[in-house]
Amino acid sequence: MVWGGTAVRVVRRRRVGGGLVSGACVLALVATVGGCGVGGGSGDVTLRLVAADYGTSSANSSEKYWANVVDAYEDAHPDVRVEVSVYSWNDVDRRVKEMVDAGDAPDMAQIGAYADYAADGLLYPADDLLSISAQADFAAQLADAGRVGGTQYGMPFAASTRLLFYNKTLFQRAGITPPTTWEELAADAAALKAEGVKYPYALPLGPEEAQAETMQWLLSGGGGYTDQAGAYAVDSPENVETFTWLRDELVGEGLTGPVAPGKLNRADAFSAFAAGEVGMLNGHPSLMRMAADKGVKFGMVPMPGVDGPTKATMGVADWMTAFKENGHGREVGEFLDFVYSEENVLAFSREYQLLPVTNSASQTMAGADTDKDLQPFLEELPLSELYPVGKTSWAAVSADVKRRIGAAVTSGGSPAGVLGKIAGTAVSAEGAASGA
């Protein structure tokens, strides 16, 4: 996931025969999915969408975004009604799973993963839904990440990349410049520590989102979760060397702050940066707003690598899926074509400080003065690598990374041993997914 939020539901009054149906539901806060009793003619279709909330409060809940989209769509399609239920990231994946398990799948679900549903034959392929122009507009690496067995089932909905954030005030006080290599990063962190900075480099390897920080470091060391053929390579020599360096040169030198990396969550690290307590950390676009709101002067640079800036950065995407259960493929496809219009993709990306998932919206954003803050992240997107979300085994591997990886950088910890255990989980999960 790339964001979080609250739980709401959006249902709009709809037009039938040119007039608004009276007494229909409007923007009601509810906890469950269900109809609001609005009737229609024999040709009417009701589509149900479950979506994640990217807002930080009721003031900018995704409820409002979807209400605008549904309003515009239903005005042009009076025979289609769209009901949207919006849940927080803490709940949305579980809610959808409960609905699917109960035989009551929504027509569409905008969630964090799709591979399990695709493997079970529950999803429409994107080819069966979207127009050729809409499908071709997806950023290539995002579309590729949405494939299972060569077929695209996950349609990217929101994207983000990572940059190294640094506190300009603390850097100026320490007399240092942003690092481009690991050696420079360690030297900068030492200078920040000498100035009394609480977290010279914040290394969040806690259970909240350890898989993200881990992947960014693996990529910066020339490795990753998988090899070039797409097979798991968690305990590769490059990955072991990366975590050995982190253990010895950062954590072992006391350069990561008072909280052990394995107990430091990403949200807490972001809050500490916004409080002026962190010199450097990996961050996504939402951190810009958090830091600016607290008056922190910050800069952003590509993640340092062994000998220079990292050649590949970590990308994250959330996914739109369409379930076959209700048989509304044609109507779902027409609605999603509208959802992925340039206007709607830009409106969503700008509201929530996220990156467009389509080429057309990305090109517009790249040339717009109003989007200057997001452009450094946008420039990283073509170079980004995503989690191996097309593997049904990824959920188990990700969970194991969250559980174990912090131990790899403790005093006396064994990077090779920890990464080896995670690699074992990957092998077992792959075997279970293939029925071996």
Side-chain angles (χ1 to χ4, degrees), residues 46-348:
T46 297
L47 300 178
R48 292 184 300 152
L49 165 63
V50 176
D53 197 345
Y54 292 79
T56 55
S57 68
S58 59
N60 70 338
S61 168
S62 294
E63 168 195 24
K64 295 183 177 180
Y65 170 78
W66 284 112
N68 289 332
V69 171
V70 169
D71 277 350
Y73 187 77
E74 290 186 351
D75 281 342
H77 300 80
D79 58 339
V80 177
R81 177 186 178 202
V82 183
E83 297 180 356
V84 186
S85 298
V86 182
Y87 297 102
S88 78
W89 274 111
N90 292 330
D91 300 321
V92 65
D93 289 304
R94 174 178 56 81
R95 290 279 189 174
V96 171
K97 185 178 186 304
E98 290 172 351
M99 294 170 69
V100 173
D101 289 347
D104 187 33
D107 295 285
M108 296 162 283
Q110 187 267 300
I111 48 181
Y114 63 86
D116 285 349
Y117 298 128
D120 290 339
L122 302 179
L123 302 180
Y124 284 109
D127 287 344
D128 293 351
L129 299 170
L130 300 176
S131 65
I132 294 174
S133 59
Q135 193 172 359
D137 199 25
F138 287 133
Q141 77 274 34
L142 300 180
D144 288 344
R147 298 181 186 277
V148 174
T151 299
Q152 184 181 358
Y153 293 96
M155 292 163 278
F157 184 77
S160 176
T161 55
R162 299 292 195 268
L163 290 171
L164 183 75
F165 282 67
Y166 65 96
N167 184 309
K168 287 186 174 181
T169 302
L170 298 179
F171 266 58
Q172 184 176 18
R173 188 179 303 159
I176 55 178
T177 57
T180 61
T181 66
W182 286 1
E183 183 179 358
E184 291 174 0
L185 187 148
D188 283 352
L192 291 163
K193 180 182 179 181
E195 289 293 324
V197 175
K198 187 173 182 179
Y199 295 91
Y201 178 88
L203 183 65
L205 296 177
E208 177 200 4
E209 204 181 34
Q211 82 284 0
E213 183 74 11
T214 296
M215 182 171 176
Q216 184 61 73
W217 277 99
L218 296 183
L219 291 172
S220 73
Y225 286 121
T226 58
D227 59 24
Q228 292 185 347
Y232 281 115
V234 180
D235 58 347
S236 69
E238 294 86 357
N239 293 345
V240 172
E241 288 177 11
T242 293
F243 268 81
T244 299
W245 187 89
L246 285 172
R247 181 196 64 188
D248 296 343
E249 304 300 329
L250 281 190
V251 181
E253 295 294 328
L255 302 178
T256 55
V259 179
K263 297 184 181 300
L264 181 64
N265 283 326
R266 189 269 313 163
D268 295 330
F270 276 23
S271 294
F273 186 85
E277 298 176 337
V278 175
M280 300 173 279
L281 83 170
N282 284 316
H284 53 62
S286 70
L287 184 56
M288 293 190 299
R289 185 173 294 174
M290 287 181 62
D293 287 347
K294 295 292 187 178
V296 173
K297 295 180 180 179
F298 62 90
M300 301 173 296
V301 294
M303 176 67 182
V306 178
D307 300 314
T310 302
K311 294 180 175 62
T313 188
M314 187 189 73
V316 178
D318 299 328
W319 304 96
M320 179 70 75
T321 59
F323 288 87
K324 297 190 291 187
E325 184 175 307
N326 301 314
H328 294 149
R330 180 178 65 83
E331 293 83 2
V332 167
E334 292 175 352
F335 177 66
L336 290 180
D337 268 7
F338 181 74
V339 167
Y340 283 108
S341 67
E342 181 180 340
E343 178 183 2
N344 286 327
V345 173
L346 280 172
F348 177 85

